[in-house]
Amino acid sequence: MKIDGIDKELQQRVRELLDSTEDKAEAIYQAADMIATAKYQKLIDELTEQNARAAADEDYRKSLGLRVLSKEETEFYEKFKDIKQAIAAQQIDILPTSIVDRTLDDVKKNSDVLSLVQFAPADVKKWIVAEHSGQAVWGDLTAAITGELSATFTALNIEQHKLTVYLVIPKAIRDLALPFVDRYFTAILAEAMQDGLVKGYLQGDGKTGPIGIMKQIETFKGDGTADDKTPITTITKFSPKGLAEVRKTLTNEGMRTVSELHLICNPLDEAEYVDPALYGEALTGGYRNTSFMPIVKHVDKNCPQGKGIFTISGVYVMGATSVQMKEYDQTKAMDDADLIIGKCYANGRAVDDNCAIVFDVTKLEEYVLPVTQVTSGE
C-alpha cells in the first residue's frame, strides 16, 4: 500500500498497524480508512457541518446550491446507507451516467491538462472523431455548387479499456443527507480518476488504455501497443523560426489555423529548461514572456522528464460510458468505512498524429537579451 504524501506520524501508525496485525486484509482496510479520513478530513468536516446547519435552516440550505438529485441518482446514493447489502461482492452496480458526466466535467475544470480534452457524453458507446476541410464558393443562386468539403471519420469505441479507482466512503459521510453524499462522492471520484485520465491522455499505450498524444495513432508494435512518437531535437528557441516546424505540423498541412500553442512539460523541466527559454530580462527591469505568440504552459508529473509536448486544444476526444462500483471483497465488514472499487470503461484518441509534437525539452536554450552596440563619431 502506497502511503506517500501523508504526514510522518500517520505513516508510522499505518506501518505499525500493517506490521503488527496477522489479519492483513483487515489491516489494509483499516489503513485505507485512516489515510482517506486524514486526506479528506477538511471536506468531511465541512460537509458534516453544512448538513447539520441545513437541516435546521432552510434559507442556508438554499444558499448552498445543492443539486436536486434525479430518481436514478437518489436510488444509487440510498444504497450507501447500507452499502454492505446494496453492493455485495457478487453484485456490480452501475453509476448513473449523469454522475459520470458531472464527475468528468469536474475533472476537466480542475485539471489544467485535461482542459485540452473533449469529453464525449457518458451514455454514448461510440463517438465519431473527425475534422473536415475544404472551401466554400460564392455564386449565383442558380449556379452549380463548386465548393467541396471532405472529412475523415473515425469511430472511437469508448468501452474498450478500464480505469480502476479505489474509494473509501466513511460512515460519517453515509449518514448525511443525500445531496451531501453526492458532493463528497463526486469530489473524491473526480480526484481519483484525474491522474489516470491525464496519464492515459499523455502516455496511453492503446492496448490497456487510450492512445496518448505521445504515441502514434496508426502504428503499433508486435505486442499490440502504439509506437512512441520520435522526439524532435531541433526546438531550441521560442522564436518565429524556432517554432516554424511546430506550427506547420500542428496546422495539419495547412488545414488548421493555430493561433495558440499549448506546452505540456514535467515540473522539473519547467524550472530547468522551459522557463529560462520562455522568460527573459526586460530592459525596464524584471522579466517578461519573450514568445512572439501565446504559449500556455501545462505542468504535470505524468509528462516524462526530458520530454515536452506541443499541442492544441480540442483535438483529442476521451469518453467513459459507465463506472461500475463493487465492494472490495478481500476485507471484513467494518462499522466506520467501506472500500469501493470503481471500474471506469473509457477510451480516447487524437484526431490525427499532427495534433501533438513530442520534443527534447533539454535542447531549449536560455533566452539572452539581445545587445546592440552603437558607435558614435566625434
Side-chain angles (χ1 to χ4, degrees):
M1 171 176 288
K2 185 176 180 180
I3 58 176
D4 296 337
I6 59 177
D7 63 66
K8 293 183 178 180
E9 181 181 350
L10 182 55
Q11 286 187 32
Q12 183 62 33
R13 287 168 53 200
V14 169
R15 288 195 181 97
E16 291 175 356
L17 174 65
L18 296 175
D19 292 341
S20 62
T21 308
E22 294 184 4
D23 190 340
K24 294 301 181 185
E26 178 76 4
I28 291 173
Y29 201 94
Q30 292 187 43
D33 175 50
M34 290 166 60
I35 294 171
T37 300
K39 183 176 182 180
Y40 299 110
Q41 191 62 61
K42 184 176 180 181
L43 176 60
I44 293 171
D45 292 344
E46 179 183 347
L47 293 176
T48 301
E49 180 182 352
Q50 289 179 350
N51 178 82
R53 184 176 172 184
D57 188 338
E58 183 62 26
D59 290 337
Y60 174 72
R61 180 183 179 86
K62 291 179 180 178
S63 71
L64 293 175
L66 298 172
R67 292 182 58 253
V68 178
L69 303 180
S70 67
K71 179 181 178 182
E72 186 182 25
E73 292 170 339
T74 300
E75 290 176 351
F76 177 81
Y77 286 127
E78 281 288 0
K79 294 176 180 179
F80 282 88
K81 297 299 182 182
D82 191 2
I83 204 164
K84 293 295 181 183
Q85 295 179 10
I87 305 180
Q90 295 78 25
Q91 175 191 349
I92 293 179
D93 199 67
I94 304 297
L95 190 67
T97 57
S98 58
I99 297 178
V100 178
D101 281 335
R102 285 191 295 104
T103 300
L104 292 177
D105 187 51
D106 289 342
V107 168
K108 186 170 182 176
K109 290 177 182 177
N110 295 328
S111 170
D112 189 47
V113 172
L114 293 178
S115 65
L116 302 173
V117 175
Q118 176 188 175
F119 282 101
D123 58 350
V124 175
K125 290 183 172 58
K126 284 188 179 291
W127 188 257
I128 300 299
V129 180
E131 272 203 338
H132 68 268
S133 62
Q135 58 183 351
V137 180
W138 289 100
D140 295 334
L141 292 175
T142 57
I145 298 175
T146 57
E148 181 182 18
L149 291 175
S150 62
T152 301
F153 294 96
T154 301
L156 176 65
N157 182 6
I158 297 174
E159 288 191 308
Q160 189 171 350
H161 304 297
K162 289 185 293 185
L163 171 65
T164 302
V165 297
Y166 296 88
L167 312 173
V168 175
I169 313 296
K171 185 175 184 296
I173 290 297
R174 288 186 283 119
D175 287 342
L176 302 182
L178 295 187
F180 293 99
V181 177
D182 173 65
R183 280 197 170 183
Y184 178 85
F185 184 84
T186 54
I188 63 168
L189 179 61
E191 182 175 321
M193 291 176 63
Q194 179 172 312
D195 196 58
L197 292 175
V198 171
K199 190 171 184 177
Y201 167 56
L202 298 181
Q203 301 188 66
D205 61 13
K207 181 179 180 180
T208 59
I211 304 177
I213 58 175
M214 302 183 74
K215 307 287 184 177
Q216 298 184 37
I217 296 174
E218 304 295 344
T219 309
F220 287 80
K221 303 174 187 176
D223 62 0
T225 60
D227 273 328
D228 293 330
K229 289 182 177 179
T230 302
I232 295 175
T233 60
T234 56
I235 302 175
T236 60
K237 297 179 179 179
F238 296 140
S239 63
K241 194 64 177 177
L243 293 177
E245 283 302 314
V246 171
R247 296 169 67 197
K248 287 164 62 178
T249 301
L250 291 176
T251 63
N252 196 28
E253 299 182 354
M255 292 188 292
R256 284 191 293 252
T257 300
V258 177
S259 58
E260 181 179 70
L261 297 176
H262 292 268
L263 193 164
I264 304 172
C265 64
N266 184 278
L268 296 176
D269 291 330
E270 178 195 27
E272 184 72 21
Y273 303 106
V274 175
D275 281 355
L278 187 58
Y279 298 97
E281 289 187 81
L283 291 173
T284 55
Y287 285 81
R288 65 181 181 87
N289 188 320
T290 62
S291 176
F292 68 100
M293 68 179 297
I295 296 180
V296 183
K297 286 190 307 178
H298 303 269
V299 184
D300 195 279
K301 64 181 180 180
N302 287 295
C303 184
Q305 189 177 352
K307 294 181 180 180
I309 307 166
F310 273 115
T311 187
I312 51 181
S313 180
V315 290
Y316 190 96
V317 176
M318 185 175 283
T321 52
S322 64
V323 176
Q324 297 183 346
M325 311 305 297
K326 182 179 179 181
E327 180 193 356
Y328 183 57
D329 56 6
Q330 301 301 312
T331 59
K332 296 179 180 180
M334 292 181 65
D335 291 332
D336 56 351
D338 290 297
L339 182 58
I340 308 300
I341 300 174
K343 291 185 177 181
C344 172
Y345 289 79
N347 205 351
R349 57 157 285 164
V351 170
D352 54 62
D353 275 327
N354 289 334
C355 71
I357 297 168
V358 181
F359 70 99
D360 185 345
V361 76
T362 67
K363 301 298 183 182
L364 289 174
E365 299 173 359
E366 183 178 3
Y367 176 83
V368 178
L369 183 68
V371 178
T372 303
Q373 182 175 355
V374 179
T375 302
S376 61
E378 293 184 3

